[in-house]
Amino acid sequence: CFMFRQLCFLAIGLCALVTTTSVSAQSWKSAGSKAAGYYSEYHGHSSHSHLYGAQSHVRHYSNYLSTTTTVDPSVARMAYDSIGNHLNKTQQHLGQMKNQLSAHKNKKGVESLSEVEGHLQDARLHHADLNKITIQRPIDSKAAKSTVDSLQLSIEKAIAGHASLLESLGIKKPTNEADKSK
């Protein structure tokens, strides 16, 4: 009887081990993995929001530059700072996503995220060029517009890559609508 109990415990233990190994070998993006925090919709949604925030500020500044010949330095600085803040926050969230993807050996996810980071780096380089223009007096609106257009293209590429990444991870695209349940 004692031997039978030990055999039962051993069998149950082996079943648990096999089940655990099988589950961890499955896709890391399963519901169980998601619930356990193996990747975060928070970072996916937040990086999405900041990319779109940067895109919006770039678009607003581009429209401003299209309608003025004399650029107000305070507008230029505010636009530059706002865009930079969104780019920095995007990078922070992508960094967290990359850490999670690496920890769970999701090589394809890391590669996709690295591509998004490459587009984001291009955007940051255009942003740095925009700073050089922004500190000049007077600010050259044509040079600023050209740089903003390049910045916008890089952000659009990052957004497209990010959308593909979220889809591949099973993270639903965040909605842009306010909660209508009032």
Side-chain angles (χ1 to χ4, degrees), residues 31-99:
S33 298
K34 182 176 169 182
Y38 293 157
Y39 74 95
S40 175
E41 283 190 14
Y42 172 77
H43 293 297
H45 288 176
S46 294
S47 52
H48 169 93
S49 296
H50 284 293
L51 277 170
Y52 277 90
Q55 181 187 45
S56 292
H57 283 282
V58 167
R59 188 178 308 119
H60 300 315
Y61 191 43
S62 178
N63 291 340
Y64 170 79
L65 292 169
S66 295
T67 61
T68 190
T69 53
T70 305
V71 179
D72 181 337
S74 66
V75 171
R77 179 52 50 192
M78 288 175 71
Y80 172 81
D81 289 345
S82 296
I83 295 163
N85 181 51
H86 284 295
L87 295 177
N88 290 336
K89 292 296 182 182
T90 299
Q91 185 59 57
Q92 289 174 354
H93 289 291
L94 292 179
Q96 290 299 315
M97 289 179 74
K98 192 173 210 174
N99 289 341

Side-chain angles (χ1 to χ4, degrees), residues 48 51-52 55 112 115-116 119 153-167:
H48 169 93
L51 277 170
Y52 277 90
Q55 181 187 45
S112 295
E115 185 177 317
V116 174
H119 297 305
L153 287 173
S154 294
I155 291 172
E156 288 171 2
K157 289 177 183 177
I159 286 172
H162 188 266
S164 294
L165 172 65
L166 292 185
E167 185 178 324

Side-chain angles (χ1 to χ4, degrees), residues 144-160:
K145 177 76 168 104
S146 175
T147 301
V148 165
D149 289 346
S150 297
L151 176 58
Q152 192 163 11
L153 287 173
S154 294
I155 291 172
E156 288 171 2
K157 289 177 183 177
I159 286 172

Side-chain angles (χ1 to χ4, degrees), residues 160-181:
H162 188 266
S164 294
L165 172 65
L166 292 185
E167 185 178 324
S168 74
L169 296 176
I171 298 175
K172 292 181 182 176
K173 182 179 176 183
T175 60
N176 294 327
E177 294 181 22
D179 187 335
K180 297 179 182 180
S181 63

